[in-house]
Amino acid sequence: DVPSMCRKLEDLSVDEFMLSGFDSGEEDDCEDEESTQQKGKMKKPAPQKMSVGKQGKASEHKDQLSALKRKDPEFYEFLQQNDQKLLNFEDSDSLEDEEEDEEERMYHKLPSQLEVSHLVLPMQQIINYFLYYKSEVYNYQISSHNIVLICVFRLILPSSSARWQKNQIDIKMYIAGVVQLLSSLTQSTVVAAVLRHANQMVPYYLCLPKQCRHFLKSLIKHWSTGEETVRVLAFLALNKICRNKQEIYLNSVLKQMYIAYVKNCKFTSPNTLPMINFMQRTLAEMYSLDTQVSYQHAFIYIRQLAIHLRNAMNLKKKETYQSVYNWQYVHCLYLWCRVLSTIYPSEVLEPLIYPLCQVIIGCIKLVPISRYYPLRLHCVRAIILLSANTKTYVPALPFLLEILQREDFNKKPGRMSIKPINFAVILKLSKTNLQEKAYKDGLVEQLYDLILENFHTQACSVGFPELALPTVVQLKVFLKECKVANYCKQMRQLLEKIQENSSYITGRRQKAAFGVADVTAVAAWEKQVAEEGTSLTKYYSQWKKLREKEIQLEISGKERVKMPKPHPRLPLDPNNTNHTFQRKLDSDRSFFSIESIKRKKAEEKKADKKEFKGLFESDSDDDDDDDLFKSKGKASC
């Protein structure tokens, strides 16, 4: 019978296996003993003497334990109670550790020592510490967090193996073939499957710089143009590579990703908007890896946006205006607002908040006409995003209240429109849009949303009543002059919520026992108000959920207003000579029929041209631009 000390690995408990030092010496001894028994050679192996090097390692381990006893007596006492074997380190233990299988040792070669906090620990000792890092000792503070990070998140590169030189050429050919395969595939499901495999091969790409650069180029392409799953997998691989080799790849990857982002946000539609938002958020996460590198990129690209804006202000030509009033420019403003918001607080990037705000405000003021109200609303939304997340007050309300002052909401629309205008995917309005009822309906709705969102960011501020005063006055003037019931209903509700929040903050301020000069006390007061919540913050959270559902419907292109169902055709009563009601039902049905809509569409178009001759001469955006940029005097800046 084989002795009990020669049990198979599967018979050992986890603690026994881990504390044995991962050595296969005992198992090998068992196999040798079995073979000698079969051959009839029951000779006992001669005892081996431990070399001087092995004795040195044993002494070194004892010295480290002595250092541990001095520097961390609590953990040393814990080991005394739970693991005497680790403390009673004998030379035989070192001998067993050294009798590990040579091939396995070469393949799993690790650094002999790892630095954890103030201790330098052998790998086996780190594993023992990791085993004792259980729920009952979570409160123990011996670099335990660092030990977990070493054991769980440490990425071991294949180049550290002794077999790397032998297999390097084959591996290089294989991973280069994976990159070529990614460039030739077209079906998204197959690309996603290959990308999942490529994510597992990232350690091999990190060992081969040339192949890694080709891989990164392919990943950036899929990140910016692929299907949703493909985009996510490509981003995960990009993030993994840049986290492990920041000093080598991060700078160039950020530059290539930014260029790909700009190229692929030239056109915005309900279908492309989710992809643009994904690129925006993931690129902001990549910039958060290194604030020093991010500052250099942000400074250069924000300055580039400022130069385009300055040229447009100075030259006042159609071409220079178009270099600013386009989707690429607006999406870049959004991106940098999100980057600064994501990385905040950061002393490195904080100085860029002011110049970015100046560029956005200058973009609003460049051509302040009603045709570009959608672009203005996009810029205000970017300002609110930046202001809310960086705790920086930026005056965005004047650009919204100016629309209420300048626009005549009492004027009857020249055209009736069936579909609402989707402000999320447009930058400018045509002359036809300006005459539609859907334009003013959507504009009032957008103003309501942005004013409410802006005040939500300041709802817990000690200066909310003073901040809200100009808006309260302007809303009262609007309600006094506007005669459209639906518009008045929305703005009256908004006014009530603002006034209610102002009264609440005023009441809380009267009970305060500090002055506004006490910055620390003011911050603590605002924090307490935010934790308790105000009427405006509670209303906003409920409103936001409903509004997000409506926005998703708008982005997907679905209509929120459903057409009424046609009445069924009823047979005429021959005994009744008054068929007025029946004819009305028939006319209603014919009004909503497809054939009737096609026929009446052409008739209405001719009637509109005849009645409003000169008003709808051109519906195209290009023709409208010609009117806008005819002369320098007509473009008010």
Side-chain angles (χ1 to χ4, degrees), residues 33 79 103 175 177 246 443 499 606:
E33 188 171 348
L79 293 178
E103 182 178 354
I175 64 176
Q246 285 190 22
L443 187 61
Q499 289 178 323
K606 293 180 181 178

Side-chain angles (χ1 to χ4, degrees), residues 369-380:
I369 61 175
S370 57
R371 278 201 57 211
Y372 286 101
Y373 280 164
L375 184 141
R376 174 185 294 212
L377 298 177
H378 283 293
C379 291
V380 171

Side-chain angles (χ1 to χ4, degrees), residues 283-404:
L283 185 51
E285 185 174 343
M286 292 293 291
Y287 276 111
S288 65
L289 294 178
D290 191 327
T291 56
Q292 296 292 340
V293 175
S294 299
Y295 175 83
Q296 298 174 3
H297 286 251
F299 179 86
I300 292 173
Y301 293 126
I302 293 175
R303 181 175 179 271
Q304 190 178 51
L305 296 174
I307 292 173
H308 283 293
L309 179 62
R310 184 188 62 187
N311 293 337
M313 288 181 171
N314 294 336
L315 300 178
K316 298 181 181 179
K317 293 181 179 180
K318 177 180 178 179
E319 293 77 13
T320 56
Y321 284 137
Q322 289 179 341
S323 67
V324 175
Y325 277 23
N326 59 74
W327 274 117
Q328 290 174 309
Y329 195 94
V330 172
H331 283 309
C332 287
L333 294 177
Y334 265 116
L335 171 66
W336 295 118
C337 287
R338 190 168 296 281
V339 169
L340 298 183
S341 301
T342 302
I343 303 179
Y344 182 86
S346 172
E347 295 181 357
V348 178
L349 292 173
E350 192 170 351
L352 296 176
I353 296 176
Y354 177 77
L356 180 58
C357 291
Q358 291 298 103
V359 173
I360 298 174
I361 293 173
C363 184
I364 294 174
K365 294 181 177 180
L366 182 60
V367 187
I369 61 175
S370 57
R371 278 201 57 211
Y372 286 101
Y373 280 164
L375 184 141
R376 174 185 294 212
L377 298 177
H378 283 293
C379 291
V380 171
R381 190 167 279 109
I383 289 176
I384 294 175
L385 171 68
L386 182 63
S387 176
N389 291 284
T390 61
K391 297 180 175 59
T392 305
Y393 175 72
V394 185
L397 286 172
F399 305 114
L400 301 175
L401 300 177
E402 183 183 3
I403 298 176
L404 286 177

Side-chain angles (χ1 to χ4, degrees), residues 20 118 127 172 206 213 231 260 351 354 371 424 446 590 601:
S20 65
H118 59 276
I127 295 172
K172 185 185 297 185
L206 292 174
R213 286 193 295 269
R231 287 170 177 265
Y354 177 77
R371 278 201 57 211
Q446 290 290 314
S590 63
K601 186 175 181 181

